[in-house]
Amino acid sequence: MNKLIFSFLFFSTLAAAQRPDTTYSQPFRPQFHFSPRINWTNDPNGLVFHNGEYHLFYQYNPFGNKWGHMTWGHAVSKDLMRWQELPPAIAEDKNGMIFSGSCVVDVNNTSGFGKGGKTPLVAIYTNHREKNQSQHLAWSLDDGRTWTKYDKNPVIDLNMADFRDPSVFWHESSKRWVMSVVLPHEKKALFYGSPNLKDWTKLSEFTAPQGEGIWECPALIEVPVEGQATSKWLLLLSIQSGAPAGGSGMRYFIGDFDGTTFRSDFRPGDVRYVDYGKDYYAAITYNNTPRRISLGWMNNWQYANDIPTSPFRGAMTLPRDLKIIKTDTTYELRQQVIKEFSPLTSHSYQWRGIDTKQLNQSLKQKRIPGDNYVLTVASELDSNLVVKVRQGVGEETLIGYDAASRQVYVDRTKSGQTSFSKNFPGRFSAPLKLRDEGISQPERTMVRLQIYVDRSSVEVFANDGQVTLTNLIFPKPESKGIEFVGGGVRSVTIRNVESTWK
């Protein structure tokens, strides 16, 4: 059954690839975010770097553009920006669907899956069937192109309906593999240890219940503290409801991990969010790279099956470099778009001054292209700022800074198509601190926003990634206007972004 399904998927993909392909020029097709050529995608899975390739596995429905028949889709990249989509990797079979998980490079062949001197890639994923979720293994000896499922699966089975999303890494000081996995409804992250990826022993558990919905997609990683010779441990968790913008979103904790137990530094009730937008979920990090690089799913479970895209549905966020900084009183997460993004950009427009009216006239005169770019704006801290992007007849997406409340926001109420869900339109805000990088740093006098505008999304990074807001938008193709409102703007740079599909 497994071979039959895989053969069908492979030849279906091959046949589709032989037809004329115009899908990457669709009005809502992301130009610098990954999306599959056709069909549904959600969580990124198995992020790993191996033999010069970044692998992106992802939840994929080979048979349609709504959730179902979960299989691991597969794409590879040399730079995390230009992706080559490959045939699906690990297929649904008679034993169940292939839910989220991770992938490791078993350099020392602890699993015994390596043969002939070849280093195995080992995938650890949740096998889902009615009333049971358990953790399974598969391995590859050809750089992830073909996979063999372990014949003694499952490797962990608690006989529970909801027990999922394993994230695995090698913990050097304890010389073992460590897995974080969740009991979603109990809001617990469980930690397991193994010498060989096959035999697992429970180590501990972590919980910090709040009012949000179920937990999913844990990821525990060690991150150096910026400017210090120490590191802290970052635990990422996705929540299916109760996020700041409504619906699904992500929390994080910073603390210490001794190889057995994770202890958070945060006080009870101190809730930190990874992203304050509506569309950031299930982000995990890359294994086998010295950098801490995350990638998330750009959607929200409130309307994920209904967004107006076809023949694909779902896309990934921009990859982000993660770092931890020490403030006066605590540790905090910072996120920035990876450096590999810069080669895609070309200089288009630069402005400095104090007259916003003059700025807007200049933008119109130069006819700056407006559906695929990164915009950087610096504005005075005590002045309100509004940037209107993807502006057209009756359409505009507002990115702003409210000086009174010290908040950055995105308002997509009139961003284009919104009627497919009552939960889609709205204004979503994030608090912005004035001094965010420790005692030695003075208070800021300017607010700096980096706004990444793609055909169907905006990702906003405020003050060097102190807060981020990720949101989908669905404007008409002709809605390309850019306009500034407010008297505090002091500098603007706009750079065109090359399509990664060329």
Side-chain angles (χ1 to χ4, degrees):
M1 179 65 175
N2 183 34
K3 291 182 178 179
L4 185 63
I5 290 177
F6 183 82
S7 297
F8 174 79
L9 295 178
F10 177 80
F11 288 111
S12 295
T13 302
L14 184 62
Q18 292 172 343
R19 295 194 296 269
D21 184 1
T22 60
T23 58
Y24 295 121
S25 60
Q26 296 160 354
F28 299 142
R29 171 68 70 174
Q31 294 300 290
F32 54 85
H33 293 80
F34 174 81
S35 58
R37 198 184 67 80
I38 59 173
N39 297 337
W40 165 275
T41 187
N42 56 289
D43 305 359
N45 301 149
L47 304 183
V48 68
F49 180 75
H50 180 57
N51 283 348
E53 292 181 322
Y54 291 95
H55 291 263
L56 165 59
F57 301 96
Y58 49 91
Q59 292 288 276
Y60 183 65
N61 181 358
F63 306 111
N65 65 357
K66 291 196 173 185
W67 186 94
H69 298 287
M70 288 293 94
T71 289
W72 274 24
H74 190 195
V76 293
S77 174
K78 299 291 187 182
D79 63 1
L80 286 165
M81 294 305 305
R82 299 173 180 88
W83 293 95
Q84 176 190 1
E85 190 173 350
L86 300 176
I90 307 176
E92 173 191 27
D93 63 17
K94 65 181 181 181
N95 294 315
M97 288 191 272
I98 313 301
F99 271 26
S100 293
S102 59
C103 187
V104 299
V105 182
D106 188 8
V107 175
N108 297 318
N109 197 25
T110 64
S111 63
F113 293 144
K115 304 294 181 185
K118 294 182 178 180
T119 299
L121 285 177
V122 182
I124 308 95
Y125 60 89
T126 296
N127 185 83
H128 169 85
R129 63 182 190 273
E130 188 177 1
K131 298 183 180 180
N132 181 270
Q133 291 180 346
S134 55
Q135 314 320 315
H136 287 216
L137 302 180
W139 78 91
S140 171
L141 297 179
D142 59 359
D143 296 328
R145 271 55 177 182
T146 61
W147 292 82
T148 301
K149 293 177 180 177
Y150 181 40
D151 59 5
K152 293 183 174 59
N153 280 327
V155 293
I156 309 179
D157 187 358
L158 301 184
N159 296 310
M160 298 182 69
D162 293 286
F163 170 52
R164 57 179 174 267
D165 307 336
S167 177
V168 174
F169 66 93
W170 177 257
H171 189 253
E172 181 61 28
S173 61
S174 62
K175 303 295 182 183
R176 63 184 173 191
W177 299 99
V178 172
M179 174 195 297
S180 55
V181 61
V182 290
L183 298 177
H185 297 283
E186 292 83 349
K187 301 176 185 176
K188 287 184 178 181
L190 308 184
F191 298 99
Y192 287 82
S194 172
N196 56 14
L197 295 167
K198 299 173 180 177
D199 305 301
W200 293 91
T201 301
K202 185 179 176 182
L203 303 174
S204 63
E205 58 185 52
F206 172 80
T207 187
Q210 300 291 333
E212 76 275 341
I214 65 174
W215 285 10
E216 292 187 310
C217 303
L220 179 66
I221 54 170
E222 187 175 14
V223 182
V225 178
E226 187 80 358
Q228 299 186 11
T230 60
S231 63
K232 298 293 286 186
W233 287 82
L234 172 70
L235 176 62
L236 301 174
L237 284 166
S238 292
I239 53 175
Q240 266 205 13
S241 61
S248 50
M250 290 191 68
R251 292 178 63 182
Y252 75 88
F253 299 86
I254 294 174
D256 296 301
F257 180 70
D258 60 6
T260 299
T261 304
F262 173 77
R263 294 179 176 86
S264 173
D265 290 343
F266 298 165
R267 298 173 181 174
D270 184 1
V271 181
R272 311 283 183 90
Y273 294 103
V274 178
D275 192 283
Y276 285 82
K278 192 80 172 180
D279 298 298
Y280 193 87
Y281 196 70
I284 56 174
T285 57
Y286 267 89
N287 270 325
N288 202 39
T289 173
R291 295 163 60 191
R292 280 63 175 175
I293 304 169
S294 69
L295 189 67
W297 176 46
M298 193 158 52
N299 218 327
N300 191 303
W301 279 117
Q302 288 183 331
Y303 44 71
N305 280 286
D306 302 313
I307 60 173
T309 62
S310 179
F312 74 101
R313 185 173 274 124
M316 300 301 161
T317 65
L318 284 171
R320 301 178 179 184
D321 275 310
L322 306 183
K323 65 179 182 179
I324 289 175
I325 64 106
K326 176 80 166 63
T327 70
D328 297 349
T329 58
T330 187
Y331 292 93
E332 295 182 359
L333 174 66
R334 294 290 180 268
Q335 304 171 84
Q336 294 180 321
V337 173
I338 58 170
K339 61 185 179 182
E340 288 85 350
F341 179 84
S342 293
L344 297 177
T345 66
S346 58
H347 183 264
S348 175
Y349 179 84
Q350 192 166 13
W351 180 90
R352 290 183 182 276
I354 59 174
D355 189 334
T356 304
K357 182 178 179 181
Q358 186 183 71
L359 166 61
N360 290 327
Q361 289 174 343
S362 174
L363 286 168
K364 290 181 180 179
Q365 289 171 357
K366 294 183 181 297
R367 297 182 179 180
I368 302 301
D371 69 344
N372 194 22
Y373 57 89
V374 55
L375 183 156
T376 302
V377 55
S379 180
E380 290 185 350
L381 192 65
D382 294 324
S383 297
N384 292 333
L385 165 70
V386 178
V387 185
K388 299 180 180 181
V389 301
R390 299 306 307 271
Q391 186 183 44
V393 178
E395 294 185 348
E396 59 186 14
T397 297
L398 311 181
I399 296 102
Y401 168 69
D402 184 279
S405 63
R406 303 298 196 207
Q407 290 192 327
V408 179
Y409 63 88
V410 175
D411 189 331
R412 66 179 183 189
T413 305
K414 298 179 181 179
S415 59
Q417 292 189 38
T418 63
S419 60
F420 57 87
S421 171
K422 66 179 182 180
N423 294 307
F424 190 82
R427 171 172 159 157
F428 316 113
S429 302
L432 195 62
K433 295 180 181 179
L434 306 187
R435 197 174 85 181
D436 63 344
E437 301 236 352
I439 294 174
S440 63
Q441 291 290 331
E443 289 193 357
R444 293 177 179 268
T445 59
M446 304 290 283
V447 174
R448 187 171 184 267
L449 304 181
Q450 287 183 303
I451 304 167
Y452 296 81
V453 179
D454 207 340
R455 287 188 178 175
S456 55
S457 66
V458 291
E459 287 186 73
V460 180
F461 292 72
N463 286 358
D464 303 317
Q466 182 194 123
V467 295
T468 65
L469 299 97
T470 301
N471 291 277
L472 293 170
I473 55 172
F474 300 105
K476 297 184 182 71
E478 59 269 25
S479 295
K480 296 183 179 181
I482 305 172
E483 182 181 354
F484 288 82
V485 179
V489 179
R490 291 297 172 261
S491 67
V492 174
T493 300
I494 302 173
R495 293 183 179 273
N496 294 323
V497 182
E498 173 188 343
S499 173
T500 57
W501 303 117
K502 292 182 180 179

